[in-house]
Amino acid sequence: MNQELSFFYELVGCMTSLSHWKYAADGHLLESNCEDERILDIIFSAGGIKEQMVKYGREHSMPLILSSALGNLWIAVFEKTENIVKACHVLGPVFTDALSPNHIQKRVNQFDIPLFWKNRFIQLVKRFPTVPWTTLVQYTIMLHYTVTKETITVSDFSYQSDAKPTAEPHISQDTSEGKKNLPWMSEQALLNNIREGNLNYQAALSNASTVSSGVKIDIGDPLRKAIDSSIVFIALCARAAIDGGMSAQSAYTLQNIYTQNVEAAQSLADTAAINHQMYEDFIHRVHKLKEISYISPQVRSCCEYIEMHASEKISIQNLAESVGYTDYYLSRKFKKETGFSINEYIRRKKISLAKTLLSATHMNIQEISEQLNFCSRSYFTDTFHKVVGMSPIDYRNQNLKN
């Protein structure tokens, strides 16, 4: 292991002066090749970044991308034995976009640092290496393989952040016709997966990450570029979903939701995670539609509306009016084509959303019940138990993501 890691770091060192670190399971620094080891370890610890890594490593095995308030990234890969962390291997700090001195000054000014130390800090940050995102992805996959002997793709990464990041799409400078077309070709492969509802999308996603980080945007600061690139990609995915059979109303609603989420992003980790979730969401929704292609457009439209508005109060009358049917005719047609009554279908979609809230948030049971518009907590608990086979509390205990 040590020899293989040393060889890997030597290879990386041939390309860039990227620092590498080894931490114990509790976050104690074991070794590093960094000249500014002490102060950078303090930076890594500040804002809870190291704490996030340690906490994540206890429960997960895939690489973790961390970003700080400065906009730099750290890559963490976990060495485990029988699911117990033996060491955390870290690459960083690194920028994925060359920042101007003014932008670095602006970022550092956000911190309450004495002037003398601030100037030294700025000089230190200026020495952080710049590695394109596509190259950093390859380093991460290679480091994970060196440590675990496990082959993964970029879709296996997880992302956590402290605050604002930096990320600019990287386009190869090779001017040969074939390589100039690679980003466009990989983008088309991603969009075709949505059109087809293809659940085997990991290879295309991994390939796309090695040739481009997204739509090239040259206006604004790095964070603004990343957000704008994401917004364009979300719009492309929405239109691909419409091509795949999703109604325009549902696709545009989903587009608006993810656009709002990415506008609120505070880091590269945030934007990357939102993009990944959005891409998978569109694929799975189109896949579902193709699986139920025998369902009439009217009933399918109702199903899509229920999925998009599961947390709201939904009336059969409003659904019927939206497709031009009477309540009675829609109810009979819906049951015949889906096997569920409309109210049962709504309840199941609400419970599906409840499972997400239970596993991904710390909202209490009462808050979730109110969020999903159940008439009472007890009714929510009873309904959840009937659908899932266990209580909400038991489900959370088994599935809560730290």
Side-chain angles (χ1 to χ4, degrees):
M1 166 74 76
N2 290 334
Q3 289 183 340
E4 293 172 337
L5 272 174
S6 296
F7 181 63
F8 169 76
Y9 290 141
E10 286 179 13
L11 289 177
V12 172
C14 292
M15 303 297 293
T16 182
S17 57
L18 188 57
S19 298
H20 54 83
W21 313 70
K22 183 178 180 180
Y23 287 91
D26 62 357
H28 175 70
L29 180 61
L30 299 175
E31 59 184 70
S32 170
N33 72 327
C34 183
E35 296 180 358
D36 301 297
E37 174 185 299
R38 182 173 176 275
I39 188 168
L40 286 180
D41 181 51
I42 293 173
I43 293 174
F44 188 52
S45 302
I49 302 175
K50 183 193 293 185
E51 182 181 353
Q52 289 182 37
M53 177 189 73
V54 170
K55 185 177 181 181
Y56 173 89
R58 295 194 192 107
E59 301 294 333
H60 306 277
S61 299
M62 291 294 108
L64 178 65
I65 312 296
L66 297 134
S67 59
S68 77
L70 286 171
N72 63 279
L73 299 179
W74 307 78
I75 306 300
V77 168
F78 303 93
E79 178 185 341
K80 289 190 170 186
T81 301
E82 296 182 352
N83 209 33
I84 303 298
V85 177
K86 309 302 291 184
C88 306
H89 301 274
V90 175
L91 293 176
V94 60
F95 289 118
T96 56
D97 178 32
L99 302 185
S100 68
N102 287 340
H103 189 76
I104 292 176
Q105 178 87 41
K106 182 179 178 181
R107 287 289 177 90
V108 174
N109 284 340
Q110 297 175 9
F111 299 89
D112 185 17
I113 304 175
L115 182 61
F116 171 74
W117 288 106
K118 182 177 293 186
N119 291 333
R120 292 186 61 183
F121 191 46
I122 289 174
Q123 295 306 312
L124 174 65
V125 174
K126 286 180 178 179
R127 295 200 297 272
F128 288 4
T130 299
V131 177
W133 171 250
T134 52
T135 303
L136 201 61
V137 166
Q138 296 172 1
Y139 287 167
T140 305
I141 292 173
M142 292 165 62
L143 177 58
H144 182 83
Y145 180 80
T146 302
V147 171
T148 68
K149 297 299 180 290
E150 181 182 16
T151 302
I152 61 171
T153 69
V154 67
S155 62
D156 295 310
F157 294 6
S158 291
Y159 306 87
Q160 291 187 15
S161 66
D162 175 47
K164 299 176 184 177
T166 171
E168 179 186 13
H170 173 71
I171 303 296
S172 170
Q173 296 302 308
D174 191 311
T175 57
S176 65
E177 192 63 30
K179 294 212 171 180
K180 284 195 295 182
N181 287 334
L182 282 177
W184 179 84
M185 293 168 64
S186 65
E187 176 188 289
Q188 292 307 303
L190 291 176
L191 297 178
N192 280 335
N193 282 335
I194 294 178
R195 295 184 185 102
E196 298 168 2
N198 182 10
L199 299 183
N200 297 316
Y201 57 83
Q202 287 82 1
L205 191 60
S206 179
N207 178 65
S209 71
T210 64
V211 298
S212 173
S213 293
V215 182
K216 180 70 174 178
I217 302 292
D218 287 321
I219 301 174
D221 61 37
L223 178 58
R224 187 66 250 172
K225 293 176 185 177
I227 292 174
D228 288 345
S229 177
S230 297
I231 291 173
V232 173
F233 184 56
I234 291 168
L236 291 173
C237 289
R239 281 147 184 79
I242 294 172
D243 291 340
M246 182 180 287
S247 71
Q249 179 183 4
S250 296
Y252 291 145
T253 299
L254 208 59
Q255 175 185 335
N256 289 338
I257 291 172
Y258 282 111
T259 298
Q260 291 172 17
N261 289 345
V262 83
E263 277 286 1
Q266 295 295 307
S267 72
L268 174 61
D270 292 342
T271 57
I274 292 168
N275 279 342
H276 192 91
Q277 180 186 5
M278 176 275 304
Y279 183 69
E280 288 188 332
D281 195 1
F282 273 118
I283 285 180
H284 283 277
R285 288 176 185 272
V286 172
H287 180 77
K288 283 184 180 179
L289 290 173
K290 292 185 180 298
E291 280 189 326
I292 57 173
S293 57
Y294 60 87
I295 293 181
S296 64
Q298 293 80 7
V299 172
R300 187 183 306 168
S301 176
C302 291
C303 290
E304 290 181 11
Y305 182 88
I306 292 169
E307 286 207 24
M308 299 299 299
H309 300 272
S311 64
E312 304 171 13
K313 289 184 177 179
I314 303 173
S315 73
I316 296 177
Q317 180 181 356
N318 289 340
L319 287 174
E321 289 176 354
S322 70
V323 295
Y325 288 158
T326 65
D327 300 5
Y328 176 74
Y329 183 76
L330 175 62
S331 297
R332 290 189 61 189
K333 187 175 181 64
F334 193 99
K335 178 66 178 290
K336 180 179 179 181
E337 295 186 10
T338 67
F340 298 103
S341 70
I342 295 177
N343 285 331
E344 177 64 16
Y345 192 86
I346 292 172
R347 281 194 293 271
R348 286 181 174 271
K349 292 304 175 183
K350 285 182 179 291
I351 295 304
S352 178
L353 181 54
K355 289 165 69 176
T356 300
L357 295 174
L358 287 166
S359 61
T361 77
H362 291 279
M363 294 173 64
N364 61 44
I365 305 303
Q366 181 65 38
E367 290 172 334
I368 293 176
S369 173
E370 293 174 354
Q371 176 77 20
L372 299 178
N373 275 290
F374 280 88
C375 59
S376 68
R377 170 175 172 162
S378 61
Y379 180 60
F380 165 66
T381 301
D382 290 343
T383 303
F384 190 95
H385 195 283
K386 288 177 182 177
V387 174
V388 182
M390 66 178 71
S391 70
I393 293 295
D394 289 340
Y395 182 86
R396 163 165 280 172
N397 290 338
Q398 292 184 20
N399 296 277
L400 182 62
K401 299 174 183 177
N402 294 323

